[in-house]
Structure formats: structure tokens, C-alpha cells
Amino acid sequence: MTPGEEAESALKELHASLDERHRPEDVAELVLQALGGKLTAAESALLGVAAAKGRGNGYFSSMPEDFARPVGGTAQLACAAKVFGLPEPPAVNPDDPQALRAVANSLGETVGWHTDHADFLAHRLDRQERQRAGMEITARQYNRRWRALHRLAAKAKQLEHEQFKRRLVMLGRSGFAGQLDFARFRADEDAACFIAYYTARRNLRREFSLAGRANPFDQIADALLARCERGTATDWAMIALVLPSQEVLYRLDDAQRGELLGRWSAVMHQAATLLGRMWRTGGFDRVRMVVRRGNDSSTWNLLAQGYNAARAAWLSCLAATGTERLLEIACPGKAMRLMAADLVQWHAAGADLSPDTAVWAGLPLPWDVLDGHVECGRAKVEEVCARVGLDPRLSGWTAPRPADGVAEFTPTPELVHGVSIADPAWAQVLRRSGFFSGRPIGRSSGATE
């Protein structure tokens, strides 16, 4: 393989990693291949420290390299094909909700079914109506086809919802990185390499500790961004999709900043809508935000993460476009994550709850503010923050939080439910056995006497 072919192959792998969960060490290895001799000696040495623990040097992880993906409609297509007597399932993408609906509507034409005319009790045809329509099938066959179409349509709806939730998870982790097309990504190699590495850093799993999430902007990310700053035709609008900081946003023109503001605003509203639905049926403890029996804390926390990331980027765009005055009218608050009682007790160590939780409890619910049902401007948020001793701007309630600076590169820990384990093989055994998961400990097939 020539150097040019190796670089092209590495860029393709880097682009694929944007929608997955690769370790920064593996991405650093690909960056070395993609940029090759274009790197300075200092940049190569810095990336080499991380790449030394990459897959090419025999280092592997027991953790999945992807975020969970929704299960497609293959089973429902096969069932519909069997019930309708087709020789094989329709040749469509089972992961495309629109394609599943199209198949359901197409098959439904033969039995008077449509997604807008699909009530099992009200819309089915009786025997005389079926005879007039020329349907030479029994009532049992007719009902089976209706049920198969209903399951196929329901799967399309569920799949669409689950895919949106996954996109929201990705947005909360790494912005719009997963939505970049390869042509644009390929056109600016320096920006592409920064985006891929920074995305990998942002996608790191949270370690169970009191220190909070590590700063994703480390020495390698800083060096790769510096290359972009030295460039004369850097695609800063692409970088802003994953790093909407003030320094990056100020490099965009008004139209680009306005477009990004609109995109983040739309994501924030969508996430808030889903949170609102969960809130109305979840029976949450608003004052303490401690998990109660029956709370779906995993889904809530993923949605809250997406909402908070979108809100932070939205605030950053407001500041960059000079439209922060809009917050005087509507300033929706953050959404607090649900925490396990033992973790709250460990974190608090007998002290009061986090001031952020107190601000959340003292403000109107953010989805009510965004829907216009309740008024909550910047003055209200500042008042509640002052009451609990928080600076509303520095804490990110009324302005984008200041940058955390540059962190040192640290190797990716091997985690089992948030607990760092030195050996990947041993981590796999512990994970299969159920250690640190809160479930009863099982006997792993990989364990020895």
C-alpha cells in the first residue's frame, strides 16, 4: 500500500469512528497514518505516546467499540412475508423506518389497511366488504395480515424513536460529528484528524469517582487544533459542529453561526420534549434527584446529557451572535441527572446536595419554559443561583461555561461498570460475572477455580 493509499484508508476509518466509540489511542494511531510526514517532530512524538498503546501495538479493550444500535425490522419483514405468502421478505433496508412503513402500506393495499386507517376494531372489513373487494381469504387469514401489518408499522415507529434517542446520545457526547459526510471530512485533513480525536476523547466512558468527567481537550487535541489554526483554508464551520467554543464560533460568519444556533435550538427542544414526557409519568424525586424504584434512570440520564449539551452549545451560539438578550425572556435551566442513593451519599459525605440540584429544584421545569407554558427569564435564574451561592455565569446557568484549559494525555482506563481494571481479559471475566453492576454475582464461564 502506498503512503497515499494508507492515508486515504486511515481517513475512512477515522470517519467511521465518528459514529462509534473508538479509544483515543486507536484514533491517534490512525491520525499518524493519515497525516504521516506532514506532522512536526513534536506532534509525531505526542501522538506516538498514545499510539504506542493502540491496536497496532497489540493493545485491545474488552469494551464495545460502538454505542448500542436499535434492532431493525428484519423479523417483522419476515413475518409479514410469511403471512402474505411472499417467497421472500421485501428487499428493503430493515433499519429504515420509512422503508418499513412503505412496505406496510404497499402490502396493506391488498387488505384495506393503511397507517392512517389501521384501527383493528374500527377499520377492518366485514365478510361482505371483503367479498366485494375480491379478497378470497378466510377471516383468520385476514386478521393475521392486519396484525402483521400492525406489528410492522409499530416496529417502524419504535425504530424511529430509538434511532432518534441514539442520535441524541451521540449529540450529547460529540456534537454533530456523526452527521458529517465523508466528502467534507476528507477535504480538510487537519480538521478531520482533530475532530476524530476530540470525538474519541468526548466519547470516553465515565469512571466511577468523585473527580467528575475528565477534560476531553487534552495535549493531543490541543496540538491538532493548533495545526488547524496555522492553516489558511481550515473548515472552522465543520470544527464548530463538535467544538462550539467561543474561540471557534468567532471564526465563523454570521450565517454559519445563525445556522448552528438553529440546529442546537432544535435539538434542545426535541430533547426537552422527551424529558417532559418521561417526567410526567416517572414519579421522580425533584428535590434530591435520587433514583426511586421504577425510574428509568438510564434513559433519563442519556436524554438529560443530550439536552444539557445542546443547551450549552445554544448558549455559546447566543453569546457568539450577540443575542444573549433573548435570555431575558426565556432562559430554560439545566436538567439534572438521576443519581443512585449510595453515590449521592458518597459524593456528599454528609453535606448538603449539589447547589446545581438546588437550582434545578427552584426553577420551572425547562420543557415548560421552552413550550411557553411558564415564564422564566435570566433574572429568575440569577435569583435562584444567588440563593444557593452559585455564580450563574461561571456555573453555566446563564452563559457558556469557561473552557477547562488543556489536560494531560492519560491512557484510557479499562472499566467494568465504571470501575477501573488493569487487565482487559480480567475485565471481561468480571463483566460477564456481574461484578460492580448491582446484580447478583454469577459464575462466569471464563472464570477458573
Side-chain angles (χ1 to χ4, degrees):
M1 184 181 292
T2 67
E5 291 173 336
E6 184 181 28
E8 184 72 13
S9 176
L11 282 170
K12 288 180 180 178
E13 288 193 58
L14 288 172
H15 181 259
S17 75
L18 300 180
D19 192 44
E20 298 173 350
R21 201 174 202 173
H22 292 200
R23 293 187 311 149
E25 290 87 342
D26 299 330
V27 173
E29 194 172 11
L30 291 170
V31 170
L32 282 172
Q33 296 172 19
L35 295 181
K38 300 175 184 178
L39 295 167
T40 66
E43 291 166 345
S44 294
L46 192 58
L47 283 160
V49 171
K53 293 187 177 295
R55 285 177 295 184
N57 289 300
Y59 286 85
F60 294 91
S61 172
S62 69
M63 295 183 290
E65 290 192 339
D66 198 1
F67 291 90
R69 295 180 185 270
V71 177
T74 301
Q76 288 75 19
L77 285 170
C79 178
K82 181 179 180 181
V83 170
F84 277 83
L86 302 179
E88 58 184 18
V92 299
N93 181 1
D95 297 325
D96 183 355
Q98 295 299 330
L100 298 183
R101 287 196 187 93
V103 170
N105 286 328
S106 176
L107 294 175
E109 291 178 359
T110 64
V111 291
W113 184 98
H114 191 274
T115 49
D116 298 326
H117 189 84
D119 188 283
F120 190 78
L121 296 178
H123 295 150
R124 281 180 302 159
L125 304 179
D126 59 26
R127 180 186 299 176
Q128 288 75 24
E129 290 171 327
R130 294 199 302 271
Q131 289 176 346
R132 286 195 296 270
M135 298 182 198
E136 298 181 355
I137 55 177
T138 66
R140 183 171 179 271
Q141 290 173 321
Y142 179 73
N143 290 339
R144 287 185 66 197
R145 294 184 182 189
W146 264 69
R147 291 190 179 96
L149 294 171
H150 173 75
R151 287 191 290 268
L152 185 57
K155 181 61 179 181
K157 182 178 180 180
Q158 180 194 32
L159 182 60
E160 195 169 54
H161 179 69
E162 292 302 318
Q163 286 177 347
F164 171 73
K165 282 172 55 177
R166 186 181 186 277
R167 286 196 299 272
L168 195 58
V169 170
M170 302 300 293
L171 287 165
R173 289 282 187 169
S174 54
F176 295 104
Q179 300 179 23
L180 283 170
D181 64 82
F182 181 67
R184 183 179 184 182
F185 184 79
R186 171 69 180 82
D188 187 342
E189 294 178 354
D190 286 335
C193 289
F194 166 76
I195 288 170
Y197 182 80
Y198 185 60
T199 294
R201 285 283 299 173
R202 288 189 65 178
N203 285 343
L204 285 175
R205 292 167 175 81
R206 185 186 295 271
E207 189 169 2
F208 193 76
S209 72
L210 296 181
R213 183 176 293 279
N215 178 12
F217 195 85
D218 66 1
Q219 297 163 304
I220 296 176
D222 185 48
L224 292 174
L225 186 62
R227 288 185 59 84
C228 298
E229 292 170 345
R230 295 194 299 269
T232 57
T234 297
D235 189 348
W236 287 105
M238 182 169 68
I239 293 175
L241 295 175
V242 299
L243 181 62
S245 65
Q246 295 299 289
E247 294 76 15
V248 173
L249 291 174
Y250 284 138
R251 295 175 180 269
L252 276 54
D253 58 37
D254 290 340
Q256 291 170 325
R257 286 192 289 262
E259 179 188 2
L260 196 57
L261 174 63
R263 291 182 70 173
W264 280 117
S265 178
V267 172
M268 181 174 65
H269 278 77
Q270 291 169 333
T273 298
L274 293 179
L275 286 170
R277 290 175 187 169
M278 285 194 68
W279 184 263
R280 286 186 284 272
T281 60
F284 298 104
D285 175 7
R286 184 175 183 184
V287 175
R288 301 179 66 234
M289 290 305 288
V290 173
V291 178
R292 292 173 171 172
R293 184 181 297 274
N295 291 159
D296 184 358
S297 59
S298 297
T299 300
W300 174 271
N301 289 343
L302 290 175
L303 294 177
Q305 176 180 271
Y307 167 81
N308 289 331
R311 179 185 178 276
W314 175 72
L315 287 174
S316 192
C317 290
L318 285 179
T321 55
T323 54
E324 285 182 292
R325 62 185 181 279
L326 295 175
L327 296 175
E328 297 173 7
I329 303 170
C331 184
K334 303 177 190 178
M336 291 296 101
R337 293 166 55 92
L338 285 168
M339 304 292 285
D342 54 350
L343 180 58
V344 171
Q345 184 64 30
W346 181 39
H347 196 284
D352 293 334
L353 290 171
S354 163
D356 281 318
T357 304
V359 175
W360 145 267
L363 289 174
L365 294 168
W367 41 91
D368 289 337
V369 177
L370 289 168
D371 289 342
H373 297 153
V374 179
E375 292 185 0
C376 178
R378 179 161 49 192
K380 172 67 174 177
V381 179
E382 291 172 344
E383 174 193 335
V384 176
C385 285
R387 201 158 61 219
V388 300
L390 267 185
D391 185 312
R393 295 187 65 84
L394 295 181
S395 57
W397 282 94
T398 61
R401 296 187 66 165
D404 292 330
V406 179
E408 289 188 18
F409 168 78
T410 53
T412 304
E414 190 75 18
L415 301 178
V416 176
H417 298 292
V419 179
S420 180
I421 306 297
D423 178 38
W426 180 232
Q428 196 168 36
V429 171
L430 292 175
R431 187 178 293 107
R432 287 201 304 264
S433 300
F435 277 85
F436 316 125
S437 67
R439 300 188 301 270
I441 305 301
R443 184 183 180 89
S444 170
S445 60
T448 59
E449 296 294 337

